[in-house]
Amino acid sequence: MSTENLPQSPEQPPRKPRVAVVFGGRSSEHGISVVTAGAVLSAIDRTKYDVLPIGITQDGRWALTADEPERMAIVDRKQPSVEQLAESSEGGVVLPVDPANREVVYSEPGSVPKALGEVDVVFPMLHGPYGEDGTLQGLLELSGVPYVGSGVLASAVGQDKDYMKRVFTSFGLKVGPYVVIRPREWERDESVARKKIIDFAGEHGWPLFVKPARAGSSFGITKVDDLSGLDEAIAVAQRHDPKIIVEALLRGREIECGVLEFEDGPRASVPAEIPPVQSHAFYDFEAKYIDSADGIVPAPLTEEQTAEVRRLAVEAFEAASCEGLVRADFFLTEDGEFVINEINTMPGFTPISMYPRMWQETGVSYPELVDRLVQAALRRSTGLR
């Protein structure tokens, strides 16, 4: 029998890729993660992608949240939280652990679990431990779900300032003087561990910067001008991380540069300069996110200096085996040398964040930046690569 005259069923339009934007988390950077996710949710192209916002509460519960970016902002110096956005105080979102199944499920006590559909890529807008440090990346690798940003190793290296500096040094990148105090050293003999820092100060001078080794957004950092402030600075850092790093002051200019993965490999943005903040001892959390200290984009550098810092930023990206994106932070010392301070594998995406500002000046708009990151993640497979 001929089928020529039979009615034809209309072709189904292709399904849009589904992006799960995951944010919040258990680290001290929870609120900034929510702010960052709000900016991404506002910018992502809804005609091109379906979006599923998933928040992780401060106690680790994965919550289905409202898709309302306007509620995800700092208001009256107060940071937002996932708890404020969660659709339920008890319900939980469960990612698949079977690579053959990408369907996300939502369940509440006493209710039948509800399928939320498949997820094609995760955009993890998490900062700090339990999200930016390779832990979430490992879960997504097990699940076989592609994700934006660096893999397990690069994320872990990018979170730990100690091993980050070791990697950079092994690849010939210059880092500033530092000393690390590990938890066992402190537990074994506090006086010996403290003397290690005092000896470091004797060699490199005051002031020193005492930091948590595995935190970001300048949380827990203290500029210590003399011995009298050391114990309090150590206590502040240890509230964020039992492992601390102490860095010598590098006199010079603070220069940042963004790296973004294109189809042909990583490229660097125009650099930015973070000028001294008169109302703050250094570029701390309050200066970054509350008082909106303004960076200079592009940085007033010579052509040779601009080319050099862009080259070094890409070298740092490659040295740590990064993917997707990185913000690389440098000091331009008084003798004209670039010293790398650190990289951030998931830099802030708030409206005042330097990473998107640098790319905007380079010619990549905020929506295009988000799109490029999602597309780069969709091109990559999970697993060894």
Side-chain angles (χ1 to χ4, degrees):
M1 176 173 140
S2 171
T3 60
E4 287 183 10
N5 297 321
L6 291 179
Q8 301 296 312
S9 58
E11 290 188 11
Q12 293 295 319
R15 183 175 68 84
K16 292 185 289 188
R18 197 134 191 254
V19 181
V21 178
V22 180
F23 59 94
R26 294 163 54 192
S27 82
S28 53
E29 298 176 78
H30 176 99
I32 292 306
S33 173
V34 177
V35 175
T36 300
V40 170
L41 287 170
S42 295
I44 196 166
D45 186 350
R46 303 305 179 103
T47 68
K48 192 171 181 178
Y49 305 106
D50 284 328
V51 179
L52 177 66
I54 300 174
I56 302 177
T57 64
Q58 288 161 317
D59 62 3
R61 179 172 63 92
W62 289 52
L64 192 62
T65 65
D67 188 0
E68 299 175 4
E70 65 277 5
R71 293 173 55 195
M72 303 164 73
I74 295 174
V75 179
D76 296 329
R77 305 178 78 86
K78 293 181 181 177
Q79 299 177 49
S81 70
V82 168
E83 286 79 359
Q84 297 166 352
L85 299 161
E87 294 191 354
S88 164
S89 60
E90 295 182 308
V93 175
V94 179
L95 286 180
V97 292
D98 179 0
N101 173 24
R102 292 184 180 177
E103 189 158 78
V104 175
V105 174
Y106 176 74
S107 63
E108 291 193 47
S111 300
V112 177
K114 180 173 66 174
L116 299 178
E118 292 189 354
V119 166
D120 297 291
V121 63
V122 170
F123 203 137
M125 303 309 307
L126 292 153
H127 302 305
Y130 312 110
E132 189 183 351
D133 60 350
T135 50
L136 177 63
Q137 290 75 13
L139 172 64
L140 296 173
E141 292 285 352
L142 286 172
S143 303
V145 180
Y147 53 92
V148 169
S150 290
V152 176
L153 174 65
S155 297
V157 167
Q159 189 65 42
D160 191 314
K161 296 176 177 63
D162 174 15
Y163 286 98
M164 181 198 307
K165 291 177 188 292
R166 291 171 182 265
V167 167
F168 290 156
T169 301
S170 72
F171 276 83
L173 293 161
K174 180 157 186 170
V175 304
Y178 71 98
V179 65
V180 175
I181 306 296
R182 293 173 174 79
R184 285 184 197 151
E185 293 180 83
W186 195 258
E187 292 161 5
R188 191 162 48 236
D189 193 326
E190 286 188 18
S191 62
V192 172
R194 191 170 180 271
K195 183 177 183 300
K196 187 175 174 181
I197 300 174
I198 295 170
D199 289 346
F200 179 77
E203 181 179 357
H204 298 285
W206 303 90
L208 301 176
F209 289 89
V210 179
K211 304 179 177 183
R214 296 163 293 192
S217 293
S218 297
F219 279 112
I221 300 177
T222 305
K223 181 183 179 185
V224 183
D225 292 314
D226 53 45
L227 188 59
S228 65
L230 181 59
D231 289 342
E232 175 61 23
I234 292 170
V236 168
Q238 288 177 332
R239 283 201 285 271
H240 296 269
D241 186 352
K243 178 181 179 180
I244 66 172
I245 186 168
V246 180
E247 297 175 348
L249 173 68
L250 287 177
R251 300 190 184 277
R253 300 160 62 186
E254 290 190 50
I255 306 294
E256 297 184 349
C257 192
V259 180
L260 178 64
E261 185 179 341
F262 286 73
E263 291 81 357
D264 60 351
R267 303 181 199 171
S269 71
V270 298
E273 179 169 6
I274 308 300
V277 185
Q278 301 303 320
S279 57
H280 298 264
F282 60 97
Y283 193 44
D284 61 5
F285 174 83
E286 294 275 321
K288 285 180 180 178
Y289 296 108
I290 304 296
D291 296 330
S292 303
D294 208 8
I296 303 169
V297 188
L301 301 171
T302 67
E303 287 186 17
E304 292 77 12
Q305 289 172 329
T306 296
E308 176 68 358
V309 75
R310 295 176 83 167
R311 181 186 69 79
L312 290 171
V314 172
E315 277 197 20
F317 182 96
E318 298 282 30
S321 298
C322 295
E323 295 169 290
L325 72 164
V326 148
R327 193 195 70 234
D329 300 345
F330 298 85
F331 290 103
L332 177 56
T333 63
E334 293 175 341
D335 62 2
E337 185 174 34
F338 282 105
V339 176
I340 189 162
N341 183 37
E342 63 183 40
I343 57 170
N344 193 316
T345 56
M346 187 51 69
F349 269 75
T350 69
I352 60 171
S353 295
M354 297 308 298
Y355 185 84
R357 285 186 59 198
M358 287 187 287
W359 277 109
Q360 176 77 42
E361 187 67 25
T362 311
V364 179
S365 69
Y366 196 118
E368 183 186 351
L369 182 60
V370 171
D371 183 64
R372 283 192 172 277
L373 289 169
V374 173
Q375 289 298 316
L378 287 169
R379 287 195 300 271
R380 288 197 305 267
S381 62
T382 53
L384 298 177
R385 52 189 184 273

